Amino acid sequence: MSELAPRYSAAALLRARFDRHFWGPLWRRATPRDAYDVVVVGGGGHGLATAFHLARDHGLKRVAVVERKVIGYGNVGRNTTIVRSNYLLPDNFHFYEDSLRRYENLSQTLNFNVMYSSRGVVDLANSDDEMVMYARRGNAMRLAGIDAELLDRDGLRRFMPELDPSLPRRYPIVGGLLQRRGGTVRHDAVAWGYARAAAALGVDIIEECEVTGLSTAAGSATGVETSRGAIRAERVVFAVAGHTGAIGRMLGIPLPVETHLLQAMVTEPIKPLVSTVVSYMYGHAEVYMSQSDRGGLVMGGVLDGFPSYTREPLWHRLEEVVQGAVALFPQVAGLRILRHWAGTNDQTMDGSPLVGRLGYDNVFLNGGWCYGGFKAIPASGAACATLVATGQAPDLIRSFAPERFAAGRMLDEKGAGPFPLRQ
Ligand SMILES: Cc1cc2nc3c(=O)[nH]c(=O)nc-3n(C[C@H](O)[C@H](O)[C@H](O)COP(=O)(O)OP(=O)(O)OC[C@H]3O[C@@H](n4cnc5c(N)ncnc54)[C@H](O)[C@@H]3O)c2cc1C
């Protein structure tokens, strides 16, 4: 039986019906030990996935994930759950395709249902020029064996009958680019699944423990200072998402990253309406939308647009998203917003991530995921673990090295970048 195989026998499941304590914690609440092979700072998706792969793929026995709040507090639990690999640049689409394939099997990998739903992702086009750009992106993907379909208005009607593309709109809809294997994955299940699977392999998940400094000697890191005392470590990985800039300041290493706010919301539940993930740019605004299993419309738009650590977002951004939603689907006008939240994103200047060494030979950064890092988690965890364990960056993430800015080798893909402009 594999280490991740079900923990419960049929008899145990039967007993469980009568045992209200059956649903115990998914992972041990660990306290810090003196020393580890690797300390991963940040218990978001990237930190947990990196720790899981360090233990599973590289056999490291002494790995800790140190999280200043609780698992799922950060963006891994705040995103809008969209996964896709519809990028234009090969370095991006190969990486995100690897991630999407891992998502397709993640429930089996973790033995935890992450509810992957391949409902498709459609980017709507407002003009013929935009269709040309989508055709270019779709063709690049198809040449690499990744699914992409250019839809005209009739194709859109067939794929998502809930949308009437020919309604008069200020920004008309002329077609779109579809990736059928794109879709959604339940975000908190991803965090819990990785945490549970990593802990089952011996990883210490240490919550409510903030890393406040890096200990060094003779030009190498020797561990981390934390709110619960010093921890020695042979290697340290920072996977702190929106706090990447703060880590850069802590280490005295300026990073090409800004912290920006991104908000999202969900409406009251309604009967099934939106069958896919749809995104619609109109002017300088955007709405993207999917329908949750409970029936709420989950919606988001562009960044608030100024660097900040606050989670109190701008009201007018919310209004823009709602305007876009009603322009797309007039039938949703009048729905009530149930919840609204925001997260802090680590936006890089070219919109691509930062994965590589950070200042020291044994310190690594896994960050810069901007507002698209949820879909990257499975590939990033596997590749970052290989980098940390072997010292060699796998091809998949070589072009994400932070040194690219000094060398002028930006991976600049608009639409995935700091401000969602069209390609
Ligand atoms: C509203 C919104 C919608 C989004 N929608 C999508 C989407 O649909 N698809 C997609 O692909 N991406 C999306 N994203 C982006 C995605 O959520 C992030 O890129 C990704 O989750 C970031 O990686 P993470 O999960 O590791 O981050 P986090 O979950 O934020 O993990 C970082 C952790 O580090 C911890 N930490 C920080 N500093 C310290 C310290 N000093 N010591 C210890 N711990 C520390 C934090 O508490 C946090 O838990 C969205 C983001 C937002 C905000």
Side-chain angles (χ1 to χ4, degrees), residues 41-48 66-83 209-212 238-243 247 250 261-264 288 311 341-346 366 369-377:
V41 184
H46 291 276
L48 292 166
V66 179
E67 165 56 47
R68 74 186 180 116
K69 299 274 189 178
V70 291
I71 297 302
Y73 174 84
N75 286 348
V76 71
R78 292 168 188 267
N79 61 71
T80 38
T81 75
I82 301 165
V83 297
C209 181
E210 179 168 4
V211 169
T212 52
F238 287 100
V240 297
H243 289 82
I247 297 299
M250 190 173 90
L261 200 69
L262 183 67
Q263 43 179 319
Y288 62 92
R311 289 202 169 107
W341 65 92
T344 46
N345 296 307
D346 41 345
N366 176 343
W369 293 104
C370 303
Y371 43 70
F374 176 66
K375 62 178 142 41
I377 287 170

Side-chain angles (χ1 to χ4, degrees), residues 7-19 22:
R7 289 188 298 161
Y8 307 117
S9 64
L13 284 170
L14 197 63
R15 269 200 314 277
R17 279 197 61 196
F18 307 102
D19 179 1
F22 179 73

Side-chain angles (χ1 to χ4, degrees), residues 298-322:
V298 180
M299 300 186 273
V302 297
L303 297 170
D304 275 14
F306 56 92
S308 166
Y309 286 97
T310 175
R311 289 202 169 107
E312 287 172 24
L314 293 177
W315 182 247
H316 74 262
R317 283 277 181 251
L318 187 82
E319 286 181 330
E320 280 169 6
V321 170
V322 171

Side-chain angles (χ1 to χ4, degrees), residues 244-319:
T244 300
I247 297 299
R249 281 192 293 283
M250 190 173 90
L251 302 187
I253 302 171
L255 290 170
V257 69
E258 281 182 1
T259 294
H260 279 259
L261 200 69
L262 183 67
Q263 43 179 319
M265 70 194 90
V266 62
T267 68
E268 61 186 319
I270 55 172
K271 287 184 180 170
L273 170 72
V274 183
S275 57
T276 185
V277 178
V278 57
S279 99
Y280 174 54
M281 301 280 300
Y282 51 104
H284 292 294
E286 181 192 21
V287 59
Y288 62 92
M289 187 192 287
S290 66
Q291 189 161 14
S292 78
D293 298 317
R294 260 184 257 165
L297 301 180
V298 180
M299 300 186 273
V302 297
L303 297 170
D304 275 14
F306 56 92
S308 166
Y309 286 97
T310 175
R311 289 202 169 107
E312 287 172 24
L314 293 177
W315 182 247
H316 74 262
R317 283 277 181 251
L318 187 82
E319 286 181 330

Side-chain angles (χ1 to χ4, degrees), residues 121-125 127-139 141-142 146-156 158-159 174-180:
V121 171
V122 184
D123 291 337
L124 298 174
S127 65
D128 292 342
D129 284 351
E130 203 170 12
M131 285 295 274
V132 172
M133 287 186 281
Y134 281 152
R136 182 172 167 235
R137 198 202 308 178
N139 287 340
M141 292 165 62
R142 288 160 68 105
I146 302 171
D147 72 299
E149 287 167 56
L150 199 62
L151 303 179
D152 58 13
R153 277 183 169 176
D154 286 338
L156 271 181
R158 275 194 300 276
F159 181 68
V174 300
L177 184 66
L178 163 66
Q179 183 176 32
R180 284 183 196 265

